[in-house]
Amino acid sequence: MKCKTILMMALLSLTSQLFAQDLYVGGDISLLQQYDDYGVSYYDQQGRPISDVLTYMKSEAVGWNAQRVRLFVNPNPALEYNDPAVCQDLAYVARLGKRIKDAGFAFMLDFHYSDVWADPAKQWTPTAWLSLNDTELQTKIYEYTRDCLTKLVEAGATPDFIQTGNEISYGMLWGEKGSGSNRCYINSDDNWPRFIALLQQAGKACREVCPQAKIVIHTERNGQPDVLRGIYERLTSVDYDIIGLSYYPFWHKDLSTLSESLNMLAAVFPDKKVQIVETAYYYQGNGIDYDFSSMWPATAEGQASFVRDLIAELKKHSNVNALYWWFPEENGTGPNEAVIGGKLNRGLWDNNTHCALPALYELKSFFDGRTGIASVMADMDDSKWYTLRGVCLDSCPAFPGIYVRNRQKVAVK
């Protein structure tokens, strides 16, 4: 095969971050487009204006390489507190997704399969799908997933990771708002065949349209390791690649419990990588049921300390290969609360000053000491091709990607 290079990049830096092709750090930036459209100002930690947030997130100072965006079927804020943050339809996601890909990030698409927030307490079926029976729903989720992915590919926003559902610890597509008849529990066989069939059809569409993408099954029971194990044991017939977890200490217990869950997943599901697809902590105004202020105060430094401690724990677990901050772009409510209806105070920009917080600059340390080709640079044959992990290839690359040759990074298509 003849190699066709489209870009020769700068001379290699020997920092591990540049070679973290299989490690990912980023955030769920689903509202960044709204902030940008409303002209909300962003500043760095020193108060200097940031002209383009995505470019800044890619900079050496921040060092992220991945971004996540949610997708609703027909976003309907009226279904939940008239929340203006429920706005991500397919056109919105295609627009933001293309920006993400053009900026050089890996792109994770988060299907909510709902018109409003989908999480463990609510997985309401989209209004347009309510009349469908279970067999028809299987067809619909396949067709919808296929059609969305096709349009994203056409828009230049091909996902690299695809979540077929958001926090689906108890199943998905339960029915109309308030319905509980289709929920799944690990101590009952009820509804699991239905849930599995839905996931299989969604995954089928992913494999057909985006065969290079990794499929993520996202849950959030890592505060209950036995429940977490039970969920994924019931999903062994589902085709997927990655176990995705939410981890918020104020809901999912302390780091020792997270460690227990990660150790369990490594032992029971050794073929699955684990990604923390959502995490966050407060820099002001806690007010959550669990008080962690003695460990991580609800201050800017407390938030940064949480990041350091979380990363120190994750580095102990080789099965974990990604960390995403949820809603890092939070930066005030926008004019007349047009972007969000109230401040959460868990983002990585200060809602009042619009300046970046220290935690923004801590996340890239997830890469440190985890990857790198520095240890093999001395023995490299400049005429050969290497992966970003330092693995020597027998010939020129057979697949598109970023490789190393002559001690330079080379993009191959």
Side-chain angles (χ1 to χ4, degrees):
M1 174 183 175
K2 182 179 179 181
C3 293
K4 183 179 180 182
T5 60
I6 60 171
L7 174 67
M8 185 68 73
M9 303 180 73
L11 191 66
L12 276 170
S13 163
L14 298 186
T15 60
S16 62
Q17 176 191 340
L18 291 176
F19 302 105
Q21 188 176 16
D22 60 346
L23 293 179
Y24 300 90
V25 169
D28 185 312
I29 58 167
S30 297
L31 276 174
L32 180 61
Q33 192 63 60
Q34 287 285 75
Y35 277 113
D36 285 350
D37 288 347
Y38 281 104
V40 176
S41 297
Y42 284 79
Y43 301 91
D44 68 12
Q45 196 172 8
Q46 287 73 42
R48 294 173 297 221
I50 297 171
S51 60
D52 183 272
V53 175
L54 273 176
T55 300
Y56 188 66
M57 288 175 169
K58 191 75 172 177
S59 69
E60 184 177 354
V62 180
W64 291 8
N65 65 352
Q67 305 288 4
R68 175 181 186 251
V69 179
R70 60 180 170 266
L71 172 62
F72 299 108
V73 177
N74 293 299
N76 185 356
L79 288 173
E80 191 172 344
Y81 314 117
N82 290 311
D83 186 352
V86 179
C87 63
Q88 292 79 17
D89 61 11
L90 184 57
Y92 180 107
V93 172
R95 181 183 175 199
L96 181 54
K98 186 177 189 306
R99 289 181 61 197
I100 289 169
K101 294 289 289 191
D102 286 350
F105 292 97
F107 173 34
M108 177 180 287
L109 176 67
D110 177 15
F111 279 105
H112 274 239
Y113 295 124
S114 183
D115 295 336
V116 72
W117 298 108
D119 59 39
K122 48 190 180 295
Q123 294 281 338
W124 315 132
T125 301
T127 301
W129 302 4
L130 283 173
S131 64
L132 304 179
N133 61 35
D134 287 349
T135 300
E136 291 168 334
L137 272 177
Q138 292 174 32
T139 301
K140 174 57 73 174
I141 199 171
Y142 164 76
E143 293 177 343
Y144 169 76
T145 304
R146 179 199 63 197
D147 293 347
C148 287
L149 293 175
T150 298
K151 288 181 172 63
L152 289 174
V153 171
E154 292 172 349
T158 303
D160 301 283
F161 301 95
I162 306 169
Q163 283 187 215
T164 50
N166 186 77
E167 293 188 332
I168 49 176
S169 304
Y170 300 104
M172 62 165 66
L173 297 172
W174 292 344
E176 64 182 352
K177 184 176 180 179
S179 173
S181 59
N182 290 311
R183 301 186 191 206
C184 298
Y185 300 96
I186 62 169
N187 58 357
S188 170
D189 293 334
D190 294 347
N191 301 317
W192 284 96
R194 174 185 183 274
F195 179 32
I196 289 168
L198 291 169
L199 287 175
Q200 289 172 332
Q201 289 302 306
K204 177 184 175 184
C206 296
R207 297 299 192 206
E208 289 177 359
V209 182
C210 298
Q212 300 300 319
K214 302 296 186 183
I215 298 174
V216 181
I217 301 296
H218 174 205
T219 65
E220 48 60 73
R221 291 289 93 186
N222 43 287
Q224 298 173 285
D226 291 343
V227 175
L228 188 67
R229 174 175 180 164
I231 293 168
Y232 288 100
E233 284 181 333
R234 285 184 173 271
L235 300 180
T236 54
S237 63
V238 176
D239 177 20
Y240 74 100
D241 305 291
I242 293 167
I243 293 172
L245 300 177
S246 295
Y247 175 66
Y248 301 92
F250 35 85
W251 292 322
H252 304 131
K253 302 182 181 178
D254 59 19
L255 290 174
S256 65
T257 305
L258 175 63
S259 178
E260 182 181 351
S261 290
L262 295 175
N263 286 333
M264 177 276 295
L265 293 173
V268 181
F269 308 98
D271 61 326
K272 303 297 184 186
K273 287 294 186 181
V274 177
Q275 298 191 353
I276 306 299
V277 299
E278 292 185 24
T279 194
Y281 196 74
Y282 294 84
Y283 63 88
Q284 65 183 18
N286 196 325
I288 294 297
D289 293 343
Y290 300 96
D291 182 8
F292 282 89
S293 59
S294 62
M295 184 176 297
W296 305 301
T299 63
E301 180 49 41
Q303 184 189 60
S305 179
F306 164 72
V307 173
R308 289 190 290 269
D309 289 348
L310 173 62
I311 289 174
E313 180 59 50
L314 296 180
K315 286 182 179 180
K316 301 174 186 177
H317 303 274
S318 60
N319 54 332
V320 179
N321 75 336
L323 175 61
Y324 291 79
W325 195 269
W326 190 79
F327 196 16
E329 75 276 22
E330 183 183 4
N331 190 16
T333 62
N336 300 315
E337 297 190 337
V339 179
I340 55 174
K343 298 176 181 178
L344 295 179
N345 299 314
R346 299 198 301 245
L348 299 179
W349 271 268
D350 188 295
N351 280 320
N352 300 311
T353 68
H354 306 295
C355 290
L357 295 162
L360 175 68
Y361 306 97
E362 294 284 350
L363 284 158
K364 67 179 179 180
S365 67
F366 179 74
F367 295 128
D368 293 347
R370 298 271 304 240
T371 64
I373 62 171
S375 62
V376 297
M377 284 290 287
D379 298 323
M380 272 190 172
D381 181 338
D382 289 351
S383 68
K384 294 185 178 296
W385 292 87
Y386 293 81
T387 71
L388 294 185
R389 295 300 303 274
V391 177
C392 183
L393 304 179
D394 292 332
S395 60
C396 62
F399 299 99
I402 304 297
Y403 298 88
V404 178
R405 195 181 191 199
N406 294 325
R407 299 171 187 264
Q408 292 180 315
K409 287 201 301 182
V410 181
V412 175
K413 72 172 184 179

